[in-house]
Amino acid sequence: MTVSYLIFPALLLASQFGFAWSSDCIRRETATICVTENIRHPGLRYDAPIAMVIPHAAAEVGWRPTQIVLYLQGFRGVCRASDGGVDTQASPEQTLKIFDVIGQFSRAISAASISNTLLVFPVSYGQNENYKKQLIGQFGKFTEWVEKETDAVTGVRWHIAGHSGAGAVISAALSRQANGTEKFDSVILLDATYSMGSHLQEWRTIARNQRNVFIESVYLQGSSTAAGSRTLQAELNALKTGNENTLKHPVSILAAREAHCKIPNRHFETLLVKAFDKTTNF
């Protein structure tokens, strides 16, 4: 595994994290960010950077993740820098900063009093090329790799969030039973319910395989994601297993007034806090 462009501060010792590549991290105001350029691991390859956002509480002796948030970003170039979005070659940290993911994540875990939580962001270039060609088919191995690298507790719980085109990646990945979908407690869709008719069967499979999953979707009013979110909510909330609703938690949807590229900045924190509350106390 090759790591290149972040320097780990002296006060955060590798032994306190257990990361195999923790010598290349940098401490920011609200969290520490570690980045690897790619994964070259037996049975697992990923040809784009992966960032981990670790709360400062991780500097405490004995800290181990009990929850992991996986954040996926949509097509490169749709949200251009001039619109407050991401240039095609933006670094992982730049991408997370543009959408205020690091700040919102830090505030969410503070509000939920869940310090043993980290966020993972695998970059994908083009139109989700790395997600489609590598992440989906290796999803179970990827989550296992993260758990091993971070020394996560046995039975660590996962949450997944995606913006824009990442919604289709989420449904494709979680609908494959071999991918360990039972680990995932919540799904956050940030204006990401495009072409719902093409993905509805995947979402039905997810609901049947993981009845405890809590699904939230925020959509842009008057857009195709509005229809997609309403269809997802109606279909999954009506789904039955025997005489019971298949999902223990009804699908929650929310209309947004912000532009598509600003929806993550406005809603990720709120939806993540709600996901923590629903699933941690369930």
Side-chain angles (χ1 to χ4, degrees):
M1 189 178 304
T2 304
V3 190
S4 64
Y5 47 84
L6 293 180
I7 300 173
F8 194 77
L11 66 96
L12 293 173
L13 302 177
S15 61
Q16 292 175 314
F17 289 106
F19 299 161
W21 42 282
S22 60
S23 59
D24 287 78
C25 305
I26 190 166
R27 184 182 176 95
R28 295 302 190 195
E29 182 178 353
T30 59
T32 294
I33 305 166
C34 301
V35 178
T36 180
E37 287 185 340
N38 51 57
I39 303 174
R40 297 287 189 273
H41 190 73
L44 176 62
R45 174 171 177 160
Y46 196 76
D47 295 322
I50 300 101
M52 291 193 187
V53 179
I54 307 110
H56 292 326
E60 300 172 4
V61 175
W63 186 94
R64 297 173 69 193
T66 60
Q67 301 197 58
I68 299 173
V69 178
L70 179 60
Y71 182 86
L72 306 181
Q73 185 55 45
F75 295 0
R76 289 269 170 152
V78 173
C79 296
R80 300 184 184 277
S82 59
D83 301 320
V86 182
D87 283 332
T88 55
Q89 296 302 316
S91 72
E93 185 179 2
Q94 288 170 330
T95 302
L96 293 171
K97 184 177 180 180
I98 286 166
F99 293 109
D100 191 27
V101 173
I102 299 170
Q104 291 185 87
F105 167 72
S106 300
R107 292 190 294 272
I109 64 174
S110 176
S113 300
I114 307 174
S115 61
N116 283 48
T117 306
L118 62 83
L119 182 141
V120 181
F121 169 51
V123 170
S124 186
Y125 295 119
Q127 295 188 352
N128 287 340
E129 296 303 315
N130 299 90
Y131 293 160
K132 291 187 289 189
K133 293 178 179 178
Q134 296 182 310
L135 185 64
I136 292 172
Q138 305 178 102
F139 196 71
K141 292 180 180 179
F142 180 84
T143 59
E144 290 172 3
W145 174 83
V146 171
E147 292 170 13
K148 183 177 180 181
E149 289 287 306
T150 61
D151 193 29
V153 300
T154 301
V156 61
R157 307 307 301 171
W158 285 74
H159 308 267
I160 188 168
H163 177 224
S164 192
V169 175
I170 291 173
S171 63
L174 293 187
S175 61
R176 300 187 180 196
Q177 194 163 11
N179 279 339
T181 58
E182 72 282 350
K183 300 177 184 179
F184 284 82
D185 286 341
S186 73
V187 176
I188 296 172
L189 300 170
L190 300 161
D191 207 29
T193 50
Y194 293 98
S195 304
M196 183 51 63
S198 300
H199 304 288
L200 200 52
Q201 187 54 47
E202 293 173 338
W203 286 108
R204 293 190 188 105
T205 299
I206 293 167
R208 292 190 176 104
N209 288 345
Q210 171 53 313
R211 297 182 63 187
N212 289 331
V213 71
F214 177 48
I215 301 170
E216 302 175 273
S217 179
V218 57
Y219 59 87
L220 180 62
Q221 293 189 79
S223 71
S224 63
T225 57
S229 293
R230 287 193 286 267
T231 297
L232 180 67
Q233 182 185 52
E235 288 285 334
L236 295 193
N237 286 356
L239 201 60
K240 299 287 185 180
T241 298
N243 294 323
E244 297 182 349
N245 291 335
T246 297
L247 286 177
K248 304 296 185 182
H249 305 292
V251 174
S252 174
I253 65 174
L254 174 69
R257 297 183 180 276
E258 297 78 17
H260 170 76
C261 295
K262 292 295 185 182
I263 284 178
N265 305 62
R266 173 64 179 83
H267 294 282
F268 177 54
E269 176 185 348
T270 303
L271 297 183
L272 187 56
V273 170
K274 188 175 178 181
F276 286 149
D277 180 65
K278 279 280 186 180
T279 59
T280 302
N281 297 322
F282 179 67

